[in-house]
Amino acid sequence: MRLTIRQKIMAIAVGLIITMALASVLSTSLTMKVVDRLQDLKNAYVPASASLARTDIRSLERALTLRRMIIDRLRSPAGSSRFAELRKLFDETGMAMENEAKDGQALIDLMIAEGVGDPVALTRLEASIDSTLNETRRYLNAEIERLWPVLESGDVGSIDESLQRIDDLRDDLNDRLEENRRSMRELLENAVSDTEREAERAMLIASVLTVLATALGLIFAYLVSSGVTRPVHRLLDGTRALESGQLDRPLAVTPRDELGDLTTA
């Protein structure tokens, strides 16, 4: 097959364009994976971790409000408007704590459904949150409900016993909440590490592809220039030989293109 110099140059240019296009597609694909991981961090891991942290805070606020209620009732056995305000704040804080935990649980369920992160660890964490809400917190709430009539009676001994049981249950609840928060933080840190590794991998591959494309470009450029300059030099040497009277000196015709036709002529 006879190829002209123009066709050779065009073929090499097309080859370089294809190589660069493949490198660009691969780099874009790796970059999109990193972007997806960053979106997972932004839309799932970070909000879920924040929700569990706020759940822990709401639990502590609720415990503090309960103490303030008991102090107020002991100071004012007949009841006061402040006690009613504290009771309302106590109920609101408890509801806020439950909502925060459920928000975190919903995000974790969504991550499991969409295949984000470690499904085994997320499922285990989701089960732990569910147990915390439906068992540990339920026992604590039941004990708090038994405290109200004891508090109304003003029996300090019975109040102390009830508070001790509540403190034990609350400590257990706080430990469970802290464990859940710590597990979520570990998952978040692992996700950040995975994202960093993915970004480094994308940068490394992009650099390698760039170097490879540059090297191929230089090699192709050398081959093209050599394929053009070598026949020209041979033709020039032959022409000088003819000028010097060496009419019997043969000229090698190697390229099957315009330079080959010129050499034959």
Side-chain angles (χ1 to χ4, degrees):
M1 181 179 179
R2 186 176 186 276
L3 294 177
T4 65
I5 295 177
R6 179 180 180 182
Q7 288 173 332
K8 291 178 181 179
I9 294 175
M10 287 297 298
I12 292 174
V14 170
L16 287 174
I17 291 173
I18 292 174
T19 302
M20 293 300 295
L22 292 175
S24 177
V25 169
L26 184 56
S27 297
T28 301
S29 175
L30 293 172
T31 302
M32 291 303 298
K33 289 181 65 176
V34 174
V35 171
D36 289 341
R37 286 184 176 273
L38 290 175
Q39 288 296 324
D40 291 339
L41 290 174
K42 176 183 177 182
N43 299 329
Y45 280 99
V46 173
S49 181
S51 291
L52 295 182
R54 288 192 295 268
T55 301
D56 204 356
I57 294 172
R58 296 290 179 268
S59 176
L60 296 175
E61 291 176 347
R62 190 169 184 249
L64 178 60
T65 304
L66 179 61
R67 291 291 183 181
R68 293 171 62 189
M69 291 171 61
I70 294 172
I71 292 173
D72 183 82
R73 178 48 57 94
L74 293 177
R75 288 178 176 177
S76 305
S80 66
S81 59
R82 179 173 174 78
F83 182 86
E85 293 174 358
L86 291 173
R87 177 62 187 271
K88 181 181 178 181
L89 178 60
F90 178 81
D91 293 338
E92 290 176 349
T93 305
M95 184 62 65
M97 183 187 77
E98 184 175 356
N99 290 337
E100 292 288 0
K102 287 183 177 179
D103 288 343
Q105 191 175 24
L107 287 169
I108 293 172
D109 288 339
L110 182 62
M111 293 165 66
I112 295 173
E114 295 183 351
V116 176
D118 183 352
V120 175
L122 288 171
T123 301
R124 186 165 54 245
L125 176 58
E126 194 276 338
S128 177
I129 295 174
D130 188 70
S131 174
T132 301
L133 290 177
N134 296 326
E135 294 180 13
T136 309
R137 184 171 179 273
R138 178 163 55 86
Y139 296 147
L140 175 60
N141 288 342
E143 189 61 41
I144 290 175
E145 288 300 321
R146 286 192 287 269
L147 171 66
W148 304 132
V150 175
L151 194 59
E152 292 290 339
S153 68
D155 187 342
V156 177
S158 298
I159 293 175
D160 287 341
E161 292 177 1
S162 181
L163 278 178
Q164 184 59 52
R165 291 192 296 270
I166 289 174
D167 287 342
D168 292 340
L169 289 170
R170 189 188 66 249
D171 290 342
D172 185 30
L173 174 64
N174 290 339
D175 289 343
R176 297 285 296 274
L177 291 174
E178 177 61 22
E179 180 182 354
N180 293 336
R181 188 188 66 82
R182 186 167 54 249
S183 297
M184 189 68 237
R185 186 180 61 191
E186 291 176 357
L187 289 173
L188 174 59
E189 291 174 351
N190 291 337
V192 171
S193 298
D194 290 342
T195 302
E196 290 176 346
R197 284 193 296 269
E198 195 70 34
E200 292 173 356
R201 179 169 173 266
M203 293 176 61
L204 177 61
I205 293 178
S207 300
V208 170
L209 290 174
T210 301
V211 172
L212 179 61
T214 303
L216 289 175
L218 293 174
I219 292 172
F220 288 151
Y222 173 76
L223 293 176
V224 170
S225 62
S226 298
V228 173
T229 56
R230 275 199 302 266
V232 169
H233 285 307
R234 284 197 296 266
L235 180 59
L236 182 60
D237 291 341
T239 302
R240 288 173 178 171
L242 290 175
E243 289 178 346
S244 64
Q246 301 177 27
L247 301 179
D248 57 344
R249 178 174 176 175
L251 292 177
V253 181
T254 51
R256 301 177 59 187
D257 52 25
E258 293 89 337
L259 288 175
D261 293 342
L262 181 61
T263 304
T264 301

